[in-house]
Amino acid sequence: MALLQISEPGGKPAAPKHRLAVGIDLGTTNSLVAASCGQKVEILPDDEGNYLMPSIVSYGTNSAPVVGHAALPAAVEDPANTIISVKRLLGRSLGEVSDDEQFGQYQFASTGVDSAPVLQTAAGDKNPVQVSADILSALAQRAERALKGKLEGVVITVPAYFNDAQRQQTKDAAQLAGLQVLRLLNEPTAAAVAYGLDSKDEGNVIVFDLGGGTFDVSLLSLQKGIFEVLATGGNTSLGGDDFDRALMALVRSKLGATEELNHKQTAQLKRLVIQAKHELSNSSSSELIFNDQTVRLTVEDFSAAVQDLVRQTITACRRVLRDAELDKDQIDNIVMVGGATRMPVIRQAVAEFFGKEPLTSIDPDKVVAIGAGIQADVLIGNKSADSFLLLDVNPLSLGIETMGELVEKIIPRNTTIPVARAQEFTTFKDGQTVMALHVVQGERELVKDCRSLARFELRGIPPMVAGAAKIRVTFQVDADGLLSVLAEELSTGTRAEIQVKPSYGLGSGEIEEMLQASQAHAQEDMQVRALREAQIEAQQLIDAIRAAETQDGDLLEEEERAQLDAAVAKLERAIADANKNDISEQTEALNKLSGEFAARRMDLHIAKALSGENIDSVESTND
Ligand code: ADP
Ligand code: MG
């Protein structure tokens, strides 16, 4: 999430008419909407003065969906028809979520493991895009009532780790709600914008965002009002919810061995537990009463129960520092974002790790929405004089499959977007007219360890010898993090293009896992890569010798040919045995053995060419 501040050359003075645009923090747990009200960007509250809107939608039999606070009772009374944490379903497949305990109260339609999960509710089938659209509609209505006018555009924030599918579905939800998306903005980026308003510090900033369901940590470098992202990290399945679960387990154990709770009782107890968790952020103990039993909780109890979760957040901070090759004492500010950073146990751990107090002057609930509101105001054109563009980074490397099922990375992870990068590839076989392109995402060296995003083909390559065709593959990631890939054969201009919109996204935590795996397997991957490359090189040599034998076999004595064939057979065995050293040795041996044959062929072709038979081979021989 590099934040680049780019002044618009020759910017015009502010437009006379103030256009209505809002920033929306579409959270897993809570959502907010913010807009510029005169000089300042403020959170727009509902009629009761609540600025948070629970991201909850309840579907009854024949009424409009109930969203936000009004849906809270239904979350307890009617959990099957009341959708919570829908953000965790966005961009995922039924197969990924159907066995997940956290969605246990829902009935999913049997649509097939690879399709989007469809929730069966009293109001009919609802997919995650529709549920998200209902939340966005409710926020837009709130804004239009408060601002007394029609919205012309919205900026919606998404976690830094959201992949293409999740970003696309967020946009789809906005479209379904009838909203014009000016930009999707990464949440930490928005937080930095919010703080950039008051403090014009120089230095390195950590944005530590612990929400209800996700944890993002980002390292921004700030210079003269220009932010640049040095690294991002986090965990898509770590948040306040996990602290609820840990405290729930503690409460259940304090309640003693009781019989299984039904969904309704569980929901009731959960609400009490969350209340207690919030209380423990302000006082040293809390009490809850459940089924006439009183449970007393202390901050010490709580800290012990969540110790492991706290440690995980610090580990992610350490990794981000390592990615950026910075020391923790080079961090000047830590921005706290997300309701869960109110927990003293988190603030203390962060302060202790970095050796300084984190910034908490802006309400951690509001900071993302405020940043989005500022950005919306700029993008809609209310502030053209000092406009700036915000640029983000892509969270995982994007690349293409090459021979041997290896990955060639084209856009490395943490590259600032929008970005376009091109690389040239060539054909592997003589006369090849079709090239299959496989777009993958991830940090590992082998295709099977990365995530497949899309496959497509470039057809109509003019037949040439292997290695002669020039095919330029361009990866382009737009400002919303969506990828398109273009393949172009350079001599004819034949093109094929694909917009990558996978039907479902990564499972929660999967990005984190992929990053962890790439570090854990780096050594092993390098060995596998070296082996694959040796195998490919060896096979190419064998193919070349076979072709030469067919063409110019009469240049060889019978015995020479037998020796050559024996060496080929030996190398083929080495390839099959997958022994890197053996393959290299045999390749070397075959190269030596075939050297004389190659020299004879060259002499023959030069002789032919000089006699006017084939002028082209003279040129290519002299190359
Ligand atoms: P999201 O971005 O996922 O919607 P939020 O930033 O709104 O999440 O944070 C929601 C989380 O913050 C919930 O887990 C909630 O319990 C927690 N939270 C809110 N206030 C407090 C508090 N005072 N103490 C501890 N946790 C809190
Ligand atoms: Mg949040």
Side-chain angles (χ1 to χ4, degrees), residues 459-575:
R459 299 185 160 272
I461 302 169
M464 289 179 235
V465 291
K470 281 203 172 110
I471 290 142
R472 184 160 62 211
V473 177
T474 309
F475 274 49
Q476 186 168 358
V477 182
D478 72 13
D480 296 321
L482 297 173
L483 169 69
S484 56
V485 180
L486 169 72
E488 187 177 15
E489 196 284 308
L490 295 177
S491 71
T492 57
T494 309
R495 307 149 67 99
E497 195 168 1
I498 193 164
Q499 174 99 39
V500 180
K501 283 183 192 168
S503 57
Y504 62 91
L506 292 178
S508 60
E510 214 173 319
I511 293 177
E512 179 72 4
E513 269 168 34
M514 287 166 89
L515 292 178
Q516 266 165 14
S518 78
Q519 302 193 343
H521 298 284
Q523 182 75 21
E524 177 194 322
D525 276 9
M526 251 163 56
Q527 283 165 0
V528 176
R529 184 173 193 114
L531 170 63
R532 290 283 168 90
E533 282 172 352
Q535 285 174 321
I536 290 167
E537 195 195 334
Q539 191 59 52
Q540 278 172 330
L541 179 62
I542 292 173
D543 290 349
I545 287 175
R546 290 238 167 90
E549 281 181 344
T550 312
Q551 212 185 340
D552 298 318
D554 46 358
L555 293 178
L556 289 169
E557 302 290 334
E558 207 163 302
E559 196 187 331
E560 285 173 328
R561 186 166 186 142
Q563 275 177 350
L564 212 50
D565 287 347
V568 165
K570 217 168 163 187
L571 181 54
E572 280 179 325
R573 270 199 304 279
I575 294 175

Side-chain angles (χ1 to χ4, degrees), residues 25-28 30 87 157 187 209-212 214 337-339 364-365 368:
D25 173 3
L26 184 62
T28 311
N30 294 301
K87 190 168 172 178
T157 58
E187 288 159 9
D209 180 352
L210 189 62
T214 53
V337 182
D365 285 330
V368 166

Side-chain angles (χ1 to χ4, degrees), residues 44-312:
L44 306 173
D46 67 8
D47 294 339
E48 276 87 56
N50 300 305
Y51 58 88
L52 288 177
M53 174 185 282
S55 305
I56 302 181
V57 187
S58 166
Y59 292 100
T61 351
N62 48 21
S63 57
V66 179
V67 184
H69 281 101
L72 278 173
V76 179
E77 304 296 331
D78 187 17
N81 291 308
T82 307
I83 316 304
I84 58 171
S85 300
V86 68
K87 190 168 172 178
R88 290 196 158 198
L89 289 171
L90 268 189
R92 298 178 68 189
S93 70
L94 179 61
E96 288 175 301
V97 303
S98 54
D99 295 331
D100 197 327
E101 237 174 81
Q102 59 176 312
F103 305 116
Q105 71 266 43
Y106 304 128
Q107 283 294 325
F108 290 107
S110 41
T111 46
V113 287
D114 282 344
S115 48
V118 172
L119 300 147
Q120 295 182 313
T121 76
D125 287 354
K126 300 284 173 189
N127 63 44
V129 170
Q130 290 171 303
V131 180
S132 305
D134 285 331
I135 298 171
L136 289 171
S137 291
L139 291 164
Q141 273 169 31
R142 173 192 288 194
E144 291 188 341
R145 256 205 320 276
L147 300 171
K148 301 186 177 65
K150 185 114 188 73
L151 291 184
E152 291 186 66
V154 298
V155 168
I156 303 177
T157 58
V158 291
Y161 271 114
F162 255 27
N163 62 30
D164 285 296
Q166 291 165 310
R167 285 168 199 269
Q168 188 59 50
Q169 291 200 352
T170 304
K171 281 184 121 175
D172 292 347
Q175 197 186 359
L176 192 59
L179 300 171
Q180 165 79 28
V181 179
L182 301 168
R183 169 75 61 91
L184 297 181
L185 187 61
N186 282 345
E187 288 159 9
T189 309
V193 172
Y195 270 97
L197 262 190
D198 356 5
S199 51
K200 287 249 189 289
D201 289 344
E202 294 210 339
N204 299 316
V205 180
I206 285 274
V207 180
F208 183 105
D209 180 352
L210 189 62
T214 53
F215 172 53
D216 279 329
V217 54
S218 321
L219 208 176
L220 312 176
S221 154
L222 228 143
Q223 246 143 44
K224 298 190 188 78
I226 298 176
F227 299 79
E228 190 193 351
V229 161
L230 303 182
T232 68
N235 185 339
T236 48
S237 57
L238 179 64
D241 297 350
D242 299 286
F243 289 74
D244 299 346
R245 273 190 282 277
L247 188 58
M248 182 81 155
L250 175 66
V251 169
R252 298 274 319 247
S253 80
K254 287 196 178 227
L255 281 168
T258 41
E259 69 274 26
E260 278 288 296
L261 302 179
N262 62 31
H263 271 316
K264 197 170 149 181
Q265 289 169 317
T266 308
Q268 243 162 10
L269 183 58
K270 193 171 162 193
R271 211 175 36 158
L272 294 170
V273 161
I274 293 173
Q275 245 169 36
K277 180 185 78 168
H278 291 184
E279 251 173 60
L280 287 171
S281 291
N282 292 315
S283 73
S284 57
S285 69
S286 168
E287 268 180 13
L288 66 84
I289 302 169
F290 181 72
N291 283 347
D292 297 332
Q293 260 184 288
T294 302
V295 178
R296 206 180 107 82
L297 296 161
T298 66
V299 165
E300 288 74 31
D301 285 342
F302 180 62
S303 299
V306 300
Q307 204 183 12
D308 186 51
L309 298 171
V310 176
R311 206 173 12 228
Q312 287 179 45

Side-chain angles (χ1 to χ4, degrees), residues 344-454:
V345 62
I346 288 288
R347 290 188 177 183
Q348 279 154 17
V350 169
E352 198 176 303
F353 176 71
F354 288 102
K356 54 176 63 80
E357 286 303 314
L359 292 177
T360 50
S361 70
I362 303 181
D363 188 331
D365 285 330
K366 296 180 178 171
V367 59
V368 166
I370 287 176
I374 293 170
Q375 179 70 355
D377 204 32
V378 169
L379 289 176
I380 199 74
N382 288 336
K383 275 201 181 143
S384 49
D386 56 347
S387 283
F388 55 88
L389 286 171
L390 295 174
L391 306 181
D392 292 333
V393 297
N394 75 312
L396 289 172
S397 300
L398 296 163
I400 204 139
E401 173 170 353
T402 60
M403 287 306 300
E405 284 149 39
L406 296 174
V407 178
E408 182 68 27
K409 286 179 188 144
I410 297 193
I411 300 182
R413 132 185 156 79
N414 280 337
T415 303
T416 305
I417 57 171
V419 64
R421 290 264 169 95
Q423 199 154 319
E424 276 180 22
F425 293 87
T426 188
T427 44
F428 181 64
K429 288 235 160 71
D430 289 343
Q432 186 178 338
T433 58
V434 180
M435 183 181 242
L437 294 118
H438 183 197
V439 182
V440 296
Q441 183 179 47
E443 306 315 309
R444 302 281 303 273
E445 298 284 344
L446 295 187
V447 167
K448 71 172 174 53
D449 297 320
C450 289
R451 175 168 183 262
S452 169
L453 286 183

